[in-house]
Amino acid sequence: MNYQASSAQNDFHSAITPEQFNHIIEAIADGRYSWACVLILRCIDYNPIHYIPQRTYSRLIKENRQSPGTASKQKADI
């Protein structure tokens, strides 16, 4: 049995870098499913505002924005 990926699947695989993929997996592992959806939409060049309400998007951005000092402190705590 031969399987050939469609061109759409090939485009999808080239659209998300390994680093972006790791951020998405990290969000899912942390239970932040809405944020993972935003990341996926951004990675494949879709505007998240077209798919989720503005208030929800703004809240997700606010909750997931990290200052450089906060990110390094959180990693040090782990």
Side-chain angles (χ1 to χ4, degrees):
M1 180 174 167
N2 291 334
Y3 174 77
Q4 291 182 331
S6 70
S7 62
Q9 288 175 329
N10 290 336
D11 291 342
F12 177 75
H13 290 297
S14 64
I16 298 179
T17 66
E19 183 179 351
Q20 292 169 327
F21 184 75
N22 288 338
H23 287 293
I24 293 166
I25 296 301
E26 182 179 315
I28 292 169
D30 290 343
R32 299 179 295 150
Y33 306 111
S34 298
W35 181 242
C37 291
V38 168
L39 294 175
I40 291 169
L41 289 168
R42 284 179 169 181
C43 290
I44 58 174
D45 292 330
Y46 280 62
N47 186 351
I49 297 297
H50 293 163
Y51 301 94
I52 60 175
Q54 173 67 42
R55 279 181 70 178
T56 303
Y57 180 72
S58 297
R59 178 182 52 81
L60 290 169
I61 295 297
K62 190 178 198 180
E63 288 175 356
N64 291 287
R65 184 181 305 144
Q66 294 181 344
S67 64
T70 306
S72 60
K73 183 182 182 305
Q74 287 178 345
K75 287 181 182 177
D77 291 341
I78 295 176

